[in-house]
Amino acid sequence: MIFSFHIFKIIQLAMLLIWCFRFHPSLRWCLVAAAIPALSLFIPGSYESGDFTAHIVRTMDLVSSLQHGIFPVRWAWLLNSGYGYPLFSFFASLPYYVLSAIYLAGTSYVFGMKLYLALVYLFAVGSMWFCASAIFAQEKQSKVIATISAVLYAFTPYMLINLEFRAAMGELTGFALFPLLVFAVLRERRVLFCFTLTALILSHPGITLLGVPWIILLIILLKKVRMFALPIALAGGLVSSYLIPSLVEAKFTEQAVTAQTVWWNTKTFQPISYLFWSPWRFGFLLQGHQGEVAYGPGVAQWGFFAISIYLFVKKKLSQHNTRIFLALGLLTLLGLFMMLPYSANVWNSVPLIRKLQFPTRIMFYPTFSLALIGGYVFVTLGFKKLFFHAMLFLCLGWTVLNWSHRAYRINIDDDYLRSHMSTESFQFEHLPEAMPVLKQNGITPRTSAFSIQDGRMTAKAEIVEPIIRKYIVDVQRDSVFQENTLFFPGWIAIVDGRERDLTIAQNGTMLVSLHPGETSLEFIFTNTPIREWSNRISAIFLGIVTVWVYLQFKTVERKRHA
């Protein structure tokens, strides 16, 4: 196995070497280069570490609800050991919907997950190519700069960590969409901007939080507020169904508790040395034997950053590029500072940025900025043809040990994940973003769909669906029926056709008092008023956007024929 792994790496390196010496400044060249590390995604089996199986299990749950005709899906009924919780009401779920579509098109979940990661990774390369082309449009070699920037973006350590180790599908999607957002602003593509911003918000709140403020600042500095005010408003309307409930109902989740907890300290951050050099395999491997990861900009990126500072200080940049490098440099320094223990007080003082979950997410700033800086610097150095190709190969090829996961679990397939969904999900589905606040600390794995808390009765389940439970209960004496599903606003109990008050057990499940006799008992997860109105707002804005897009294309068509 080790031998075949090394052979595969040698083949990948040889492919990259050949392709670097066939360099041609184009989007096609970038995509082929990025496809080389992406090939390892299709090695049989599941990732040994990371969120690979977690994302698949969540998608399985989503597909189950979609197949029951539920949309939008809010309640994850199979997860959390079967207790369920409103994961999809608080988690940006667009990647899960896309993966669901891939599965429903006829693939397995495991293969579909790998295909999604590969496609969004290549999409990120294309997105950066267009972004760099727009930023450096005034340069004679703008296509060369764009091509180098795009491949540096693809081969940067943090991107490879998300792709090959963490399987961070939402974060990768955010990395793919943000450069396209910058491109849309610079090229004044309002329709593209509207849909890209919508997709970004629905894909990853962390990248949205990190990126959108800078997009708004860019719009203001370029004096394009009037041009993009409407697309921003329309995007906000489209995401209302997700955004409004996730903000308003966050008080019912553990977010309300964790947001007030000051827990960032020096131990929260990785060792400072990791920013410069990984401690594994002489610095060439970014993941350790226990799954720990070294997050840093990358050796080549550090070199490009140092050279860019020299060019800036020596005033060897045009006025236009000086402003660009100043902005990108400050963004890089901000990201690097927030990765250091010295920034702990900043993290603790601003609750909003703690929603990033861990400081390494801010590596988004250096990853994006240094890819653009590196593309420009690489071309500015003016390497001769042979040396150009060799240096390009070295800048990309040093990351070769990170072009695949450390180990694969061949036995993990769709059938295994389905049969172990309840137990597997219980290990990691306590996400504070969506977990209801419990009266007690923690819950034990669920052993049954319902139980009798007090009294005497027999019960038979007639309907067990994602948001509906129906039982026929024969009650011998006054009893308390315990539905082993976590309560969250929206759950109601109906006894013999009439709504009955619910009480909440210590472990967060639902209790209903019943009197003697044969009883029809239902538990239904309904939309709260805020969810109902947010759904309507999104539907209204979908109609408005459809008309707006039609009018935009009509305007373009008239100008074309004028």
Side-chain angles (χ1 to χ4, degrees), residues 11-40 118 121-123 125-126 129 147 150-151 154-155 392 396 403:
I11 293 173
Q12 284 181 301
L13 266 181
M15 292 170 66
L16 180 65
L17 179 63
I18 293 169
W19 196 241
C20 284
F21 277 85
R22 297 185 62 183
F23 177 82
H24 178 70
S26 66
L27 177 58
R28 172 180 168 272
W29 189 92
C30 297
L31 294 175
V32 173
I36 295 172
L39 286 174
S40 60
Y121 176 65
L122 294 177
F123 186 90
V125 175
W129 191 87
T147 303
V151 290
F155 285 80
L392 180 58
L396 306 180
W403 295 357

Side-chain angles (χ1 to χ4, degrees), residues 135-161:
I135 290 175
F136 296 107
Q138 298 181 6
E139 298 295 319
K140 292 181 179 179
Q141 299 191 72
S142 60
K143 282 192 174 182
V144 181
I145 296 173
T147 303
I148 302 298
S149 295
V151 290
L152 287 176
Y153 195 53
F155 285 80
T156 198
Y158 192 65
M159 184 74 84
L160 292 172
I161 288 169

Side-chain angles (χ1 to χ4, degrees), residues 204-245:
H204 199 271
I207 303 302
T208 302
L209 179 63
L210 290 171
V212 169
W214 297 101
I215 292 294
I216 293 174
L217 179 61
L218 178 64
I219 291 172
I220 293 171
L221 292 175
L222 295 177
K223 299 179 180 179
K224 296 182 179 181
V225 175
R226 292 181 62 184
M227 176 178 291
F228 287 99
L230 180 59
I232 291 173
L234 293 176
L238 287 174
V239 302
S240 294
S241 178
Y242 155 70
L243 196 59
I244 295 176

Side-chain angles (χ1 to χ4, degrees), residues 180-181 183-198 224-235 545 548-549 551-553 555-556 559:
L180 197 61
L181 211 53
F183 168 80
V185 172
L186 296 177
R187 292 296 172 87
E188 300 180 353
R189 305 290 177 84
R190 302 171 76 209
V191 173
L192 177 64
F193 179 90
C194 177
F195 286 114
T196 304
L197 179 59
T198 300
K224 296 182 179 181
V225 175
R226 292 181 62 184
M227 176 178 291
F228 287 99
L230 180 59
I232 291 173
L234 293 176
V545 168
W548 177 68
V549 170
L551 294 176
Q552 289 291 305
F553 279 112
T555 301
V556 172
K559 288 180 179 179

Side-chain angles (χ1 to χ4, degrees), residues 152-378:
L152 287 176
Y153 195 53
F155 285 80
T156 198
Y158 192 65
M159 184 74 84
L160 292 172
I161 288 169
N162 282 336
L163 178 72
E164 302 287 3
F165 299 150
R166 295 181 59 222
M169 62 187 300
E171 201 163 345
L172 271 176
T173 305
F175 273 66
L177 293 170
F178 181 77
L180 197 61
L181 211 53
V182 176
F183 168 80
V185 172
L186 296 177
R187 292 296 172 87
E188 300 180 353
R189 305 290 177 84
R190 302 171 76 209
V191 173
L192 177 64
F193 179 90
C194 177
F195 286 114
T196 304
L197 179 59
T198 300
L200 179 60
I201 296 171
L202 295 177
S203 295
H204 199 271
I207 303 302
T208 302
L209 179 63
L210 290 171
V212 169
W214 297 101
I215 292 294
I216 293 174
L217 179 61
L218 178 64
I219 291 172
I220 293 171
L221 292 175
L222 295 177
K223 299 179 180 179
K224 296 182 179 181
V225 175
R226 292 181 62 184
M227 176 178 291
F228 287 99
L230 180 59
I232 291 173
L234 293 176
L238 287 174
V239 302
S240 294
S241 178
Y242 155 70
L243 196 59
I244 295 176
S246 69
L247 294 174
V248 175
E249 295 184 340
K251 60 186 177 183
F252 301 117
T253 71
E254 290 182 1
Q255 288 186 60
V257 179
T258 57
Q260 299 176 15
T261 303
V262 177
W263 57 276
W264 299 82
N265 53 55
T266 53
K267 294 182 180 179
T268 308
F269 301 84
Q270 67 175 12
I272 297 175
S273 60
Y274 283 17
L275 285 174
F276 302 95
W277 197 252
S278 168
W280 305 289
R281 299 286 178 89
F282 306 102
F284 293 101
L285 182 63
L286 301 173
Q287 188 181 46
H289 300 295
Q290 304 302 317
E292 65 275 40
V293 176
Y295 297 93
V299 176
Q301 284 77 4
W302 274 118
F304 292 134
F305 189 45
I307 295 171
S308 71
I309 294 174
Y310 171 81
L311 294 175
F312 181 83
V313 172
K314 292 296 183 178
K315 298 181 180 180
K316 293 183 178 294
L317 301 169
S318 66
Q319 185 177 359
H320 173 72
N321 287 338
T322 297
R323 290 195 295 266
I324 293 174
F325 270 61
L326 181 62
L328 294 176
L330 290 175
L331 203 59
T332 299
L333 292 173
L334 173 63
L336 294 175
F337 170 73
M338 295 298 286
M339 286 281 291
L340 300 175
Y342 313 112
S343 66
N345 288 334
V346 179
W347 289 98
N348 288 323
S349 302
V350 187
L352 183 63
I353 62 173
R354 291 210 303 274
K355 289 184 179 294
L356 295 175
Q357 292 183 306
F358 29 83
T360 50
R361 280 226 165 96
I362 213 158
M363 276 301 298
F364 166 70
Y365 286 160
T367 299
F368 174 78
S369 300
L370 291 177
L372 293 167
I373 289 173
Y376 180 87
V377 169
F378 194 94

Side-chain angles (χ1 to χ4, degrees), residues 61 75-85 421-423 425-426 443 445-446 448-449 469 483-486:
D61 191 295
W75 189 262
W77 72 302
L78 299 172
L79 303 185
N80 199 20
S81 190
Y83 287 106
Y85 72 133
M421 181 182 293
S422 178
T423 53
S425 68
F426 187 71
I443 52 178
R446 194 176 85 153
S448 61
R469 318 279 193 273
E483 165 62 29
N484 289 324
T485 297
L486 291 183

